[in-house]
Amino acid sequence: MTHYKFIIVSLFFLGFSNAKAQEILTLESAVKLALENNYEIKIASNNSLINTTNVAVGNAGMLPVVSATVAANNRVQNSSQTLQSGVVNSLDNAKNNSLNYGVNLDWTVFDGFKMFAKLDQLKELQKLGEAQLKQTILTKISAVTSTYFDLVQQQQQLEALDSTIVISNQRLALAQNRFIIGKASKLEVLNAQVDLNTDKVALLRQKDLYANTKILFNQILARDTKTNFKVIDAIKVDAALVLNELTALAEKQNPQLEAQIIALKVAELQLKQVKANRYPTVRLNTGYNLSETQASLGFATATSAKGLNYGFSAALNVFDGFAQNRNEKIAQLQIDNSKLTIEQQNLALQSQLATSFQTYITNLELISLEEKNEAIAKQNLAITLDKFKIGTITTLEFRTAQLNYVNAKVRNSNAQFQAKLSEIALKELAGIINLN
């Protein structure tokens, strides 16, 4: 009996020393790292910032355009002039220089209210960028949370396999002792050794899967994939979700549906801009310009002028080959498509919520059932182990009880994990960002 206690104590302290060497990563810390480091979130954040920067009256065409110009022209040429009197004036390498510079302003003061529709459209595009950023964040939080609890259930499976190896070691030691005193055959020892090796193989494969999932998780967190850590060994499922409440939240804050509604507003504002082309465009212009010229040959060797100029222009599209009608029809069809897309998204969202909620309810029932199964299997294993020690049951019966217990623990862990995945999926559809 002392030998068995030594095995259990050794495994406990081995696990304790490994845990001390590893970072205990909480879900909150993991999400924080993902939000800070993830490349997709950074890109979506920058795109949202671009849309925010574009919301400006100048970008909508409401402000005047002021330009400063300067132009200098210089010529050297052989010139000849014949006057009416018959006198001929000629000069080789005659220089002609001109310099023009000034400031000009051009301002569109009316364009059929297109500029106002453009500004409103830029604001809607800003909201669209925010919705897309929210979708990226929601998706990433869901991925982080799902992978985190995948690691939790894998840790639980490792613990289950560790416990079965302890039991298999006990069984092997018992078989060897019974063989030594002549109460068991060599076959019983060999069977115990084979089962122990089988358990070790299962543990090794589970460790490999666990290690690879940790590498994937580090990649999701955008940090060194070799970073060692351990997750908290608990899965808490929110069992209080209500379908009607989730549906109401999804209609208000689901990012994909929100993006489609914004896209409809953008299409409507695009139609306003197209219709604005039916109205005249009025522009004001003014400027202050200076010009100087110098000539080596001619009636005037130097001239200069400076002063203010101003005016306005108006233009109206009278006929453009029916392009205006065509553009308006296309813009209206885009609005119709946006409305259809919203209806389609609404229907898909309701369907996803209904199916996900049904899976969620089923998984909650499975948790209750698997918890009972694990308790029964644990009790059965304890009784079977006592009977095996006194030799009243066969090794096959003991092995069956042992496997039933391990499988019950694994199924219970997996049921909790699947229920958590259902909860995460429902909250993502409803646009809920929390870590409960």
Side-chain angles (χ1 to χ4, degrees):
M1 190 66 181
T2 305
H3 178 66
Y4 311 140
K5 289 182 178 178
F6 174 75
I7 294 174
I8 296 173
V9 171
S10 299
L11 286 171
F12 172 78
F13 280 107
L14 178 61
F16 181 75
S17 62
N18 286 338
K20 285 186 66 178
Q22 294 178 348
E23 167 197 2
I24 302 299
L25 183 66
T26 64
L27 178 59
E28 291 80 2
S29 299
V31 170
K32 185 173 181 289
L33 282 171
L35 295 180
E36 290 175 352
N37 300 336
N38 184 263
Y39 299 111
E40 294 173 9
I41 292 177
K42 287 182 178 180
I43 293 170
S45 179
N46 286 337
N47 289 335
S48 178
L49 185 58
I50 289 171
N51 291 330
T52 301
T53 306
N54 277 330
V55 180
V57 291
N59 196 28
M62 292 182 175
L63 298 180
V65 176
V66 180
S67 59
T69 60
V70 60
N73 293 293
N74 303 289
R75 293 181 296 172
V76 178
Q77 57 188 10
N78 297 330
S79 300
S80 176
Q81 294 180 342
T82 302
L83 305 180
Q84 289 183 349
S85 61
V87 178
V88 177
N89 296 326
S90 61
L91 180 65
D92 293 337
N93 298 321
K95 294 181 179 180
N96 294 275
N97 303 322
S98 66
L99 177 64
N100 296 277
Y101 54 96
V103 178
N104 296 280
L105 179 146
D106 186 74
W107 192 1
T108 301
V109 294
F110 182 76
D111 61 355
F113 306 105
K114 181 191 291 186
M115 63 182 71
F116 296 98
K118 176 66 174 177
L119 181 61
D120 290 339
Q121 189 181 57
L122 291 173
K123 291 178 181 178
E124 293 301 326
L125 289 173
Q126 178 188 2
K127 294 178 184 178
L128 181 60
E130 292 169 355
Q132 290 170 341
L133 175 60
K134 180 182 176 182
Q135 178 63 50
T136 303
I137 292 173
L138 263 177
T139 303
K140 190 52 59 179
I141 289 178
S142 295
V144 170
T145 308
S146 300
T147 309
Y148 185 91
F149 286 109
D150 187 14
L151 286 170
V152 172
Q153 67 109 8
Q154 287 189 39
Q155 276 187 183
Q156 293 174 346
Q157 291 187 23
L158 283 172
E159 291 172 2
L161 291 171
D162 279 334
S163 65
T164 197
I165 285 180
V166 171
I167 296 170
S168 294
N169 274 315
Q170 292 182 13
R171 175 190 166 195
L172 177 60
L174 281 171
Q176 289 173 336
N177 290 337
R178 291 170 64 180
F179 174 71
I180 292 172
I181 62 177
K183 289 188 176 182
S185 65
K186 184 67 174 177
L187 181 61
E188 183 176 329
V189 177
L190 294 176
N191 284 334
Q193 184 65 62
V194 168
D195 290 339
L196 175 60
N197 291 340
T198 301
D199 294 338
K200 287 181 178 179
V201 169
L203 178 63
L204 187 60
R205 287 177 175 169
Q206 184 60 45
K207 284 182 176 180
D208 179 64
L209 177 61
Y210 181 63
N212 288 334
T213 307
K214 286 172 70 174
I215 292 172
L216 173 64
F217 195 55
N218 282 325
Q219 180 185 348
I220 293 173
L221 300 183
R223 66 177 185 174
D224 187 356
T225 55
K226 297 178 183 177
T227 303
N228 198 9
F229 65 93
K230 190 174 182 180
V231 295
I232 295 176
D233 190 13
I235 299 178
K236 182 181 178 182
V237 181
D238 184 356
L241 298 181
V242 180
L243 181 58
N244 290 338
E245 294 177 359
L246 292 169
T247 302
L249 285 172
E251 291 174 353
K252 293 179 181 178
Q253 58 190 33
N254 177 270
Q256 291 180 322
L257 182 59
E258 184 181 355
Q260 296 299 337
I261 293 172
I262 294 171
L264 171 60
K265 293 179 181 178
V266 170
E268 290 171 344
L269 290 167
Q270 184 62 36
L271 177 59
K272 283 187 176 182
Q273 293 181 64
V274 172
K275 287 184 175 180
N277 292 327
R278 291 186 176 275
Y279 295 90
T281 301
V282 180
R283 291 185 175 90
L284 298 179
N285 60 81
T286 185
Y288 190 85
N289 294 280
L290 300 93
S291 64
E292 298 177 357
T293 60
Q294 294 180 348
S296 300
L297 184 65
F299 292 103
T301 58
T303 61
S304 64
K306 59 182 178 180
L308 180 69
N309 61 79
Y310 54 91
F312 79 94
S313 64
L316 176 63
N317 181 22
V318 178
F319 180 73
D320 60 359
F322 304 108
Q324 180 66 29
N325 292 339
R326 183 171 61 253
N327 291 336
E328 288 182 12
K329 286 181 180 179
I330 292 172
Q332 184 60 56
L333 287 171
Q334 289 173 338
I335 292 174
D336 295 341
N337 281 342
S338 295
K339 291 179 180 178
L340 291 172
T341 303
I342 290 174
E343 293 178 8
Q344 182 185 36
Q345 186 65 38
N346 256 321
L347 183 60
L349 187 58
Q350 291 174 8
S351 175
Q352 288 176 307
L353 281 169
T355 55
S356 297
F357 191 79
Q358 179 57 51
T359 304
Y360 165 76
I361 294 297
T362 302
N363 286 330
L364 289 180
E365 294 174 355
L366 286 174
I367 288 178
S368 177
L369 181 61
E370 293 298 352
E371 284 177 348
K372 294 177 183 178
N373 285 339
E374 182 180 343
I376 294 171
K378 184 177 182 180
Q379 184 180 6
N380 181 58
L381 178 61
I383 295 171
T384 305
L385 181 59
D386 291 338
K387 289 185 176 181
F388 181 72
K389 288 177 181 178
I390 60 177
T392 58
I393 61 172
T394 65
T395 56
L396 180 60
E397 291 174 311
F398 176 76
R399 181 63 176 173
T400 300
Q402 181 186 9
L403 292 178
N404 285 341
Y405 173 63
V406 174
N407 291 334
K409 281 182 68 70
V410 170
R411 287 198 310 271
N412 186 19
S413 175
N414 188 59
Q416 293 181 42
F417 175 56
Q418 293 300 323
K420 191 65 180 179
L421 288 182
S422 300
E423 174 201 328
I424 293 168
L426 285 169
K427 289 183 175 180
E428 182 180 357
L429 290 171
I432 301 172
I433 301 178
N434 65 39
L435 306 178
N436 296 328

